[in-house]
Structures are given as structure tokens and as C-alpha cells.
């Protein structure tokens, strides 16, 4: 009976802790500061309360909005440590955030990390990478990605990407 009571107390303590963390994350959300959320995620993990996948995605969202893809990579790796599988949507957000700096090497790094973490790229993610490469002036890289998508069964090139590689009307005549 004592063991059952101790387990119930532990469950109550864990639930209270999670509620407090969620409240704190909601307050932090208003500040638009991904860095604070990262500290909270680390704290939760150290206390034995692994954050939920949605907590990581929230941090990634704010980091991507701030163009802080480097910290986003740390979050993707942290997700794997706590047995969460990073989503292709999260990777897409990070790839998009590299455009602000015109940093094509970051796009390549994120794509490599996706392979390492076994995150399957969707056509949207690859389309985001193509757009980022194009935005950075890396047209050969962008074209390689288009050809890669064409070879992948069931993948389609997103319409916004197709328009990048269409010949102007004056050339098509």
C-alpha cells in the first residue's frame, strides 16, 4: 500500500511539473524567444520529464522565425536524444529560415542531419531546399535537387519550384 501511495504521489508530482512547464512555455511564447524555450526543454529533460514533441516544435517555430537555424539543429538532435522523431515539417521550417542569411551551406547541413536522423524528406521539404538554394544563388544545387525529386517514386516537384525552372515565354516561342 505504501508503494502504491508513493507511486501516486510521484505521478501527481510529475503531472504538476508538466502543467507548470506548459504554463511557463505559454508565457514565454508571448516573448517570441526560442532561447528561453530551449532552456526549459533542457530543464525538463534533466528533471526526468522528457518534453513532448509539440514542445520541441514550438521551440523550432520560434527559432526559425528568428532565423536561428543553428539552434534549431541542436533541437533536432535533442529530440532524438529523448526518443522523439523530428518531423519533416520541423526541418522544412529550419531550411526556410536559412534564406534570411542566404546560407546555402546551412541547407546542406540540415539535409545531411535529416539523413542522419532518418527523417524522410517530403516533396515540400525538398522544394523548400530548392527554393533556399535558388535564393542563395546556388542554381546547380537547386537543379540537382529537382533531378533528385524526379527520380524519387511518388514525389512531385512543387508548383512554386517548377515555375523557377520554366523558360520565359519569349524563349519558348
Amino acid at each position: 500500500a505504501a508503494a502504491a501511495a508513493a507511486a501516486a504521489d510521484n505521478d501527481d508530482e510529475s503531472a504538476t511539473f508538466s502543467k507548470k512547464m506548459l504554463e511557463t512555455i505559454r508565457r514565454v511564447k508571448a516573448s517570441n524567444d526560442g532561447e528561453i524555450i530551449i532552456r526549459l526543454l533542457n530543464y525538463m529533460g534533466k528533471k526526468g520529464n522528457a518534453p513532448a514533441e509539440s514542445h520541441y516544435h514550438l521551440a523550432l517555430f520560434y527559432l526559425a522565425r528568428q532565423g536561428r537555424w543553428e539552434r534549431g539543429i541542436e533541437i533536432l538532435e535533442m529530440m532524438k536524444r529523448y526518443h522523439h522523431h523530428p518531423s519533416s515539417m520541423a526541418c522544412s521550417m529550419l531550411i526556410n529560415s536559412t534564406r534570411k542569411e542566404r546560407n546555402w551551406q546551412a541547407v546542406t547541413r540540415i539535409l545531411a542531419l535529416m539523413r542522419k536522423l532518418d527523417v524522410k524528406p517530403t516533396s515540400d521539404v525538398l522544394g523548400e531546399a530548392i527554393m533556399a538554394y535558388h535564393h542563395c544563388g546556388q542554381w546547380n544545387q537547386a537543379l540537382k535537387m529537382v533531378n533528385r525529386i524526379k527520380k524519387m517514386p511518388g514525389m512531385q516537384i512543387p508548383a512554386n519550384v517548377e515555375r523557377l525552372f520554366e523558360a520565359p515565354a519569349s524563349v519558348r516561342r
Side-chain angles (χ1 to χ4, degrees):
D9 285 344
N10 192 24
D11 286 345
D12 289 343
E13 186 177 306
S14 181
T16 301
F17 178 82
S18 292
K19 285 180 187 176
K20 285 181 181 177
M21 291 308 292
L22 282 174
E23 289 170 20
T24 305
I25 288 173
R26 285 188 192 112
R27 284 196 310 265
V28 169
K29 244 170 73 170
S31 74
N32 195 27
D33 188 353
E35 197 66 35
I36 295 171
I37 295 174
I38 290 171
R39 284 191 297 232
L40 287 169
L41 293 173
N42 281 323
Y43 179 75
M44 288 173 77
K46 287 176 185 172
K47 289 291 185 181
N49 291 306
E53 202 165 304
S54 60
H55 298 148
Y56 292 108
H57 283 109
L58 182 65
L60 285 166
F61 172 76
Y62 286 107
L63 291 168
R65 274 179 61 183
Q66 295 168 355
R68 301 189 57 213
W69 60 269
E70 305 98 337
R71 294 295 274 161
I73 285 177
E74 290 176 33
I75 293 289
L76 293 176
E77 291 170 337
M78 187 187 306
M79 288 178 78
K80 195 68 169 186
R81 254 193 324 272
Y82 289 112
H83 309 289
H84 289 293
H85 190 75
S87 70
S88 59
M89 179 191 73
C91 296
S92 182
M93 284 190 292
L94 287 182
I95 290 170
N96 184 300
S97 74
T98 64
R99 287 198 217 175
K100 293 176 185 171
E101 296 177 11
R102 294 183 177 265
N103 189 337
W104 66 270
Q105 293 97 338
V107 176
T108 303
R109 192 167 158 202
I110 294 166
L111 291 171
L113 181 62
M114 287 177 67
R115 282 189 293 278
K116 178 183 167 190
L117 298 176
D118 197 32
V119 177
K120 303 288 184 237
T122 63
S123 58
D124 289 336
V125 170
L126 296 177
E128 217 32 81
I130 292 166
M131 295 296 286
Y133 281 135
H134 184 270
H135 189 75
C136 297
Q138 297 297 313
W139 297 284
N140 287 335
Q141 284 290 86
L143 195 53
K144 284 180 189 176
M145 292 294 281
V146 167
N147 291 330
R148 181 177 164 196
I149 291 175
K150 287 179 180 177
K151 292 177 185 174
M152 297 172 84
M155 290 281 221
Q156 292 185 339
I157 299 170
N160 60 335
V161 171
E162 277 187 3
R163 286 191 291 275
L164 289 176
F165 295 96
E166 286 179 351
S170 60
V171 174
R172 282 184 275 172
R173 291 184 189 157

